[in-house]
Amino acid sequence: MAVAGGVLRMETPGEGHIVDLTEGVRRIVATTGVDRGLVCVAASGSTVAVTTMEYETGGVHDLQALLDRLIPPGADYEHNRLNHDSNAHAHLRAAVIGPSVTVPLVDGSLALGTWQQIVLIDFDDRPRTRVVTVQIVS
Ligand code: ZN
């Protein structure tokens, strides 16, 4: 077993901002020369998530609206009360979606659908610098 990969860093405004990571992941994969394996894309932090979606204006709006309905920012949360914090909704959204995805690498290509992108969603209530680790296990 071998492990190769790299890191993506980005600034985000937070507040549910969605970043398409797909080309950055492809770039890192290409630099390794690996053509078969599992590509793990993992964000560090308890208020950020990684998933896949069709990354287009309507899909981005709908996902953000869904999360606003399911986990509203202004609700009454113990995390905020106990810690004098304001981002409980961000922790909950990140926990529900999860911090990483694993995508098979087949003959040098990520096994994604035509309209499927790998995205980072930053839920924190302030701008953040985010670090995403991309590791290929082959
Ligand atoms: Zn917090």
Side-chain angles (χ1 to χ4, degrees), residues 46-47 79-80 83-91 124-125:
S46 62
T47 54
H79 173 77
N80 289 346
N83 301 288
H84 307 288
D85 210 343
S86 57
N87 66 351
H89 66 291
H91 293 295
D124 216 341
D125 58 359

Side-chain angles (χ1 to χ4, degrees), residues 14-17 46-51 63-75 77 87-99 121-124:
E15 305 289 0
H17 187 74
S46 62
T47 54
V48 64
V50 174
T51 187
L63 180 57
Q64 290 166 334
L66 173 67
L67 289 165
D68 281 344
R69 290 195 299 274
L70 292 177
I71 309 171
Y77 297 112
N87 66 351
H89 66 291
H91 293 295
L92 294 171
R93 293 174 184 198
V96 166
I97 293 180
I121 314 176
D122 193 335
F123 294 117
D124 216 341

Side-chain angles (χ1 to χ4, degrees), residues 34-83:
V34 178
D35 69 348
R36 293 185 85 82
L38 291 175
V39 181
C40 179
V41 181
S44 300
S46 62
T47 54
V48 64
V50 174
T51 187
T52 70
M53 65 179 295
E54 180 175 353
Y55 181 78
E56 56 81 33
T57 306
V60 166
H61 172 88
D62 292 341
L63 180 57
Q64 290 166 334
L66 173 67
L67 289 165
D68 281 344
R69 290 195 299 274
L70 292 177
I71 309 171
D76 188 26
Y77 297 112
E78 287 296 289
H79 173 77
N80 289 346
R81 192 177 64 76
L82 295 174
N83 301 288

